[in-house]
Each structure stands twice: as C-alpha cells, then as structure tokens.
Amino acid sequence: MKGKSCLRTGCFVFVLVPVIIAVLFFAFFRSSHDLPDRFVLRVPLGGSLEERIVESSPVPYLMQDESLSFQDLLFMFNQAAGDKRIDTVLLEIGGVRTSPAKITELRQAIEKVRAGGRKVIAYLHSAEDSDYLLASACDSVVVERGGYLLLDGLKAESLYYTTPLGRIGVTFQAAQWKEYKSGVEPYTRTAASPEYIEQINALLDDVYADYIGYVSKRRGISRDSLESVINNVALVPAAKAVKLGLADGVATIWELKRSIARRISGKEPEENDRLFVQADRYRETLDWPVKASGSEAVAVITLSGPIVRSVGSSAMSVDEGTDVGMLRRSLDAALADKEVKALVLRIDSPGGDALASSDMLQMLDSAAVKKPLVVSMSGIAASGGYMAALAGREVYAMPLTVTGSIGVYALKPDISELARKAGLGRDVVTRGRFADANTVFKPLEGEAYEKFISASGDIYLDFIGKVAASRKMSVAAVDSVAGGRVWTGRQAKQKGLVDHAGGLFAAVRAAQRLAGMDKSKQPRILLYPEQKSWFQMLLEGNPEGIVGSLERMAMRRVLHEVAPQSPYSAMLRMHEMLMRSGEVEMLAAMPCEIIIR
C-alpha cells in the first residue's frame, strides 16, 4: 500500500509540475504587459457580493471566473479614484442581491471615483430595484437594448414550517429571549408575530426612504414621480425609461463600447482592443489592497457569515462562516506582527452559536488590550455578530447596516410522532436522571424543560450584561433596546449601540488615529484570514486541500445556479439540528435576512 501511495504521489507531481511551469510562464507573460496610458475599466457587478472570499480558486485558469468580493470592489474603487490612466469606469450591473448597507457603501465608493475625475457609466441588463439603486450613483445610466427596468419596490418574505412539519410528525420546543427574537417563529407559529411585523416594517421604511430619496435626487425627478413608476408602471421598457428620466440611453454592449472608444481614441474598437481592461486584470497590476506610503500597518480582520464552533462540523458546510479557531489564528498573526499598529474588525455576520460568539468576544477583548481595535459593520452585524463588536474602542456602522438583535433563542426538535408513524421502535438504558432528556424522540418535560428555558435566559442576561459594560449603559437601558429588537445603523447610533456612521475606510482612519500613526501616510493594510492560493497549497504539500477546495467551489456554484438567493436558510439550520440528533441549539442569530431586490 505504501508503494502505491508513493507511486500515486509521483504521478501527481509528474503531471502537475509541467502545468505549474506553464501557468507561471503564463502569469509572467501577462504581468509583463503594462496597462495602457488611457483605458476604460470594466467592472461586473452582480450576485450577493460576499464580504470577502478567503479561499481562492485552486485552478489558476478558473480565477478569472471568480466574482470580486465586496472588499475587492471597495479597495479597487479606492485606488481607481486616483488613477489618472482611467478615463471611464464601465459598471456592468445585473442581478445584484445584497444588503442595503453594502449597496450604500458601494454607492459612496462610486461617488469617490467620480469625484476623482473619472466618468462612471452604468450599463444595466434587465434590472431590478437593487441594480437601479446602484446605477443611480453613476454619471449616466444606459439600459441594454431590448431590456427593461423592473422597479416594483421592496418586500420582506418569511416561510413558516410548523404546519407541514407537523403533518409528518416533527415539532419543536422553543425558548425565546425575548419577544422580538423571532428566529423561532418559522417552527412554532403559522404566521408572523406582531413584534416581527413591527420591526420588519421599521426596517423597510428606512430602506425605502433611502431608495426613493437617493434615486430621485440623483436622477433629478420628484419623489412622487418615482413612486408613481413603482406603484403604477413597475415594468419599464428601456425606451420608456429614457423618456421618464430614469435612464440616459439604450444600447447593446457593443454599441456602448464603440461610443466610448470613439470619444477616447477617435476610432472603432478592435476585437482585442487594450482600451478596455477587465477588473480582475486591473487588480493584478495594483499594490494590493492599497498603495502604502509607510511601513506601519493596520490589520483588517473579517468576521463573515454565521458564527460557528468549528468550520466543517456543520451538516451544511458550503457556507462555513467563521469559527473560533479561524479568528484566533488571525488575531495571533496580527498581534505577532510588530508593524501592525492597530486592528479593524470588519463584521458581516448575522450571529450564530451563542457560546462561540462569547468566546470570540473574550479573544477580541484580550487583543484590544494589546493594540487598538476598531469595529466596522458591513451589511449586517447582529446578535452574535453584534456581541463581537463590543470589543471595539470605536464602532462604525453604515446608516442601513442591520444590527442589534440582542437576544437568544433555543430550539429542541421532537420527532416522536414521526417515529410512531414510521413504526420505529426504541429502547434506552441510562445512568443519570437527564441522560435521555435531550433526545429527538420525545419532548422536554418538567424539570428538564425548566432547565432548557433557564439556560437560554442565563445566556441572555450574560449578553445584555456584556453590552452594558461595553457601551457604558445600565442593564435596564440595554434591555429596553434588546429583547431581540433589530435596528438599522442609523437607529443603533441613536440608541447608543454604535458610535459613528461610516464604512471600512472610516474605521481604518480611526484605527490609525487611535494608534498614533502618521496621518499623512497611507498605512499598509493586511487582510485576515490570510488567503491561501493554489500555489501555496502545493508548496505545503497539500493536494488534498486543492481537491477539497475544488469540491467546495463546485458546490457553491451549483447552489448559486439552483438558488442564487435562498429563502430557506432557516430550514437548513433546522436540518443541521436534526443531524445533530437532538442537541439543543443556543443561538444568538438574526431571525431573517434583509436583501434589496
């Protein structure tokens, strides 16, 4: 067997080494060609705009198919704003499905590019509200010939599984702290509670007001006219969009490119015209992520996705989130680097495992004693995500960041009726009065149920105590804004839960100030968790890591094609709990996602 293993390794190396040499030659050949003195930067914008993609493609030639992450876009636009070689930025927008705060921060990045003297054109494929809201930040909006605008407003949708699950014999017991912590409702109710409706309406009011106000101002039309389009027209053909003042032109992408090329160079664009530079190619030529003017650094540590105890332990491990070990490794690396003078914790997380969130806060508090730590909230920093933010000396949030949700809930599945219907027999021998209490085959009763409720209540009290200590508020004051209530960043600032309105770069400047760094110099920015490329994995002798990376990439792409914006995340969590054979889940997590479409 050992001989076969060595033979396989030898074959692997024999096949891969020529590929590596070819790829390195290809990369060198590409990098040796500088960008032209004047060009158009083409940037595709679509999908969920993940905060940061830590795992790069394990196959070099597939990298060009990878979407730019949200942070990629922010850093790229930041540099493009001062790049005099760029004449025009062409944003090809279609299918943007992300949080309101991310759209707002991206709008600000686009405005900075325009302020730097670059012309920014939005090219819209058949677009929805999110696409159009983003496009309205540009100098001009061009709609694809034959396309349309679907401007039908905003909605929030929730699914309730209590009845269909009950029909097959699956029920849930829940502990909810408190009434606004509505994550349990899909399993315990058949419709939304008044508390859930109240906070969803408040969130939609804020987002809708921003949408109508920003677009009407940028396009020079009245708010009433825009609302009339949404309420009476909704589906707007391209030519009509121009008539209504919603767009500036209609063209195919080839017609638009030809028009831009004529304006810049006075001639028709050719098939391999270097005038148009793709975003990934442009990024390769930059000092990434910023062009620093000093050796001192700020570490930006991203906490993205669900907070879990350990990545890979989940039955649904495609969206792995951030675990305690990943955060610890990032903090250790940043603290060990003597040139890192300050830390920025960038949070884009709905929370998750309550105890893992508490562990993360403890680690972050310890790190903040050694180096100044500033928090930057992205699209969402709620529940366990908000708990992590308590370590920040200063906390920044976008006006439409979804935050708060300070609360805890616990779910206990019961499949006793399903087992009875299926004729499943069960015999248990125990030692200890509660040894079989948490099984999925029966509900919690009596003292076991009381302990279930009490345990989640203890975690809630600990949570609001942590908030009170960090935010210098009384426990009663925290409780009045907690109980699971969800706030926008603007509201959270008024409630004392965050300190400042601002995005990632505002937080970096604050970290620089708190660390006493030279304000006149641009610090280096180091991104954590560190991204491992396919080549690093090869050098580490880790072909299995490449295979695993390929599998996860393939699965993500399949899921994206099948359900690019899944409304079933709550059902996936329920499935995970069932796979854990009845383990009680103590969650500090958002009950829903708010996404503009």
Side-chain angles (χ1 to χ4, degrees):
M1 293 299 291
K2 185 177 179 181
K4 287 185 179 179
S5 175
C6 291
L7 182 60
R8 287 173 184 167
T9 303
C11 290
F12 181 82
V13 173
F14 179 77
V15 171
L16 209 56
V17 167
V19 174
I20 294 172
I21 293 173
V23 168
L24 290 175
F25 177 78
F26 174 73
F28 175 78
F29 180 78
R30 286 188 68 186
S31 64
S32 65
H33 287 68
D34 293 331
L35 297 179
D37 294 333
R38 200 176 183 200
F39 64 88
V40 177
L41 177 61
R42 291 183 65 179
V43 183
L45 284 175
S48 61
L49 301 184
E50 290 183 52
E51 180 65 28
R52 184 161 175 253
I53 301 171
V54 174
E55 188 176 80
S56 63
S57 169
V59 180
Y61 294 106
L62 293 182
M63 288 181 185
Q64 61 189 7
D65 296 328
E66 295 259 312
S67 299
L68 292 171
S69 73
F70 185 65
Q71 287 186 24
D72 287 338
L73 292 168
L74 293 182
F75 287 123
M76 185 174 65
F77 285 143
N78 183 59
Q79 297 208 50
D83 193 335
K84 295 182 179 179
R85 299 172 300 174
I86 299 175
D87 177 276
T88 302
V89 176
L90 175 58
L91 303 182
E92 298 179 43
I93 304 173
V96 173
R97 294 179 175 86
T98 193
S99 63
K102 285 186 175 180
I103 289 179
T104 303
E105 194 166 3
L106 207 49
R107 283 183 347 214
Q108 292 178 355
I110 292 168
E111 290 166 357
K112 183 176 181 179
V113 173
R114 290 175 46 236
R118 309 315 136 221
K119 184 178 178 63
V120 184
I121 300 174
Y123 182 69
L124 291 174
H125 304 287
S126 294
E128 298 184 31
D129 297 89
S130 56
D131 304 311
Y132 186 68
L133 176 57
L134 196 53
S136 63
C138 301
D139 291 296
S140 58
V141 177
V142 178
V143 182
E144 184 177 27
R145 189 175 299 282
Y148 57 83
L149 303 179
L150 179 57
L151 306 182
D152 55 357
L154 312 180
K155 73 172 183 178
E157 181 180 29
S158 300
L159 298 178
Y160 294 84
Y161 314 118
T162 306
T163 299
L165 288 174
R167 285 174 180 162
I168 63 171
V170 177
T171 60
F172 283 87
Q173 291 175 296
Q176 181 181 7
W177 291 79
K178 295 183 180 177
E179 63 273 14
Y180 287 88
K181 196 67 177 176
S182 53
V184 298
E185 292 184 3
Y187 315 109
T188 60
R189 298 178 59 94
T190 57
S193 66
E195 291 82 8
Y196 176 78
I197 294 296
E198 175 191 329
Q199 59 183 357
I200 285 297
N201 272 320
L203 286 172
L204 283 182
D205 282 345
D206 252 21
V207 176
Y208 189 67
D210 174 81
Y211 176 24
I212 298 298
Y214 187 82
V215 171
S216 60
K217 182 179 179 181
R218 286 288 306 140
R219 295 303 307 174
I221 58 179
S222 71
R223 296 170 64 98
D224 288 344
S225 297
L226 180 56
E227 288 197 87
S228 178
V229 170
I230 291 171
N231 293 322
N232 301 312
V233 183
L235 189 64
V236 187
K240 188 171 183 178
V242 175
K243 271 187 185 179
L244 293 172
L246 299 172
D248 302 293
V250 179
T252 64
I253 187 63
W254 170 246
E255 288 171 334
L256 180 58
K257 286 178 65 178
R258 185 168 58 186
S259 172
I260 294 172
R262 282 175 175 169
R263 177 177 60 80
I264 295 175
S265 64
K267 61 181 182 179
E268 297 281 332
E270 299 175 0
E271 185 176 350
N272 296 317
D273 200 332
R274 296 179 68 233
L275 179 65
F276 293 87
V277 175
Q278 288 294 131
D280 56 349
R281 172 74 185 102
Y282 178 64
R283 179 191 155 164
E284 289 175 8
T285 67
L286 298 174
D287 295 326
W288 195 256
V290 295
K291 188 174 183 180
S293 54
S295 61
E296 293 182 324
V298 173
V300 175
I301 300 171
T302 299
L303 196 165
S304 180
I307 293 174
V308 296
R309 297 178 202 180
S310 61
V311 166
S313 64
S314 167
M316 291 289 170
S317 59
V318 175
D319 183 14
E320 293 180 326
T322 303
D323 69 356
V324 175
M326 188 183 297
L327 180 61
R328 182 187 295 112
R329 289 189 293 274
S330 296
L331 287 171
D332 287 346
L335 292 174
D337 191 332
K338 292 181 180 179
E339 291 186 338
V340 171
K341 304 302 180 183
L343 312 174
V344 171
L345 179 67
R346 175 73 167 181
I347 304 175
D348 189 35
S349 172
D353 186 281
L355 297 180
S357 301
S358 183
D359 287 346
M360 287 185 176
L361 175 58
Q362 188 174 11
M363 287 190 299
L364 290 162
D365 279 336
S366 296
V369 172
K370 299 172 184 176
K371 295 182 181 181
L373 189 151
V374 175
V375 169
S376 169
M377 294 180 172
S378 182
I380 180 171
S383 205
Y386 181 76
M387 186 186 291
L390 297 175
R393 191 183 301 183
E394 293 183 12
V395 179
Y396 284 75
M398 295 299 294
L400 294 179
T401 295
V402 176
T403 188
S405 192
I406 300 165
V408 177
Y409 63 81
L411 284 167
K412 162 68 172 63
D414 171 20
I415 64 168
S416 55
E417 183 61 20
L418 175 61
R420 187 193 65 78
K421 289 179 178 180
L424 178 64
R426 180 172 182 261
D427 192 16
V428 181
V429 179
T430 65
R431 295 293 185 275
R433 192 153 60 95
F434 299 107
D436 192 41
N438 288 330
T439 177
V440 294
F441 293 103
K442 64 179 183 180
L444 292 166
E445 296 174 340
E447 192 176 348
Y449 181 71
E450 291 173 8
K451 289 180 181 295
F452 170 66
I453 299 295
S454 175
S456 56
D458 289 343
I459 293 174
Y460 174 73
L461 292 175
D462 179 66
F463 194 167
I464 63 174
K466 285 180 167 71
V467 177
S470 174
R471 302 303 304 172
K472 297 179 173 56
M473 301 166 65
S474 70
V475 171
V478 173
D479 191 37
S480 70
V481 297
R485 294 172 180 84
V486 176
W487 309 105
T488 62
R490 183 185 296 111
Q491 295 166 340
K493 185 173 181 293
Q494 293 169 352
K495 304 292 181 183
L497 297 176
V498 303
D499 299 303
H500 307 287
L504 177 59
F505 293 107
V508 169
R509 288 192 295 272
Q512 193 176 1
R513 166 174 50 81
L514 291 173
M517 299 167 68
D518 188 341
K519 293 180 182 178
S520 66
K521 292 184 177 180
Q522 168 63 56
R524 292 188 301 128
I525 293 180
L526 304 180
L527 302 178
Y528 297 95
E530 293 179 285
Q531 186 180 56
K532 283 194 175 182
S533 68
W534 61 275
F535 190 60
Q536 286 173 306
M537 284 188 277
L538 278 176
L539 290 178
E540 292 171 359
N542 186 17
E544 293 84 2
I546 296 177
V547 173
S549 182
L550 271 172
E551 289 175 350
R552 287 188 292 274
M553 182 182 70
M555 181 62 74
R556 280 197 296 267
R557 291 197 175 185
V558 168
L559 288 179
H560 176 75
E561 293 298 324
V562 174
Q565 181 196 337
S566 172
Y568 311 118
S569 58
M571 181 61 89
L572 294 183
R573 286 197 295 271
M574 184 276 294
H575 174 79
E576 179 180 343
M577 287 186 293
L578 288 177
M579 293 299 101
R580 291 184 179 184
S581 301
E583 180 182 340
V584 172
E585 290 281 320
M586 295 290 180
L587 298 172
M590 263 285 289
C592 60
E593 290 178 286
I594 307 295
I595 294 174
I596 290 182
R597 290 195 64 177

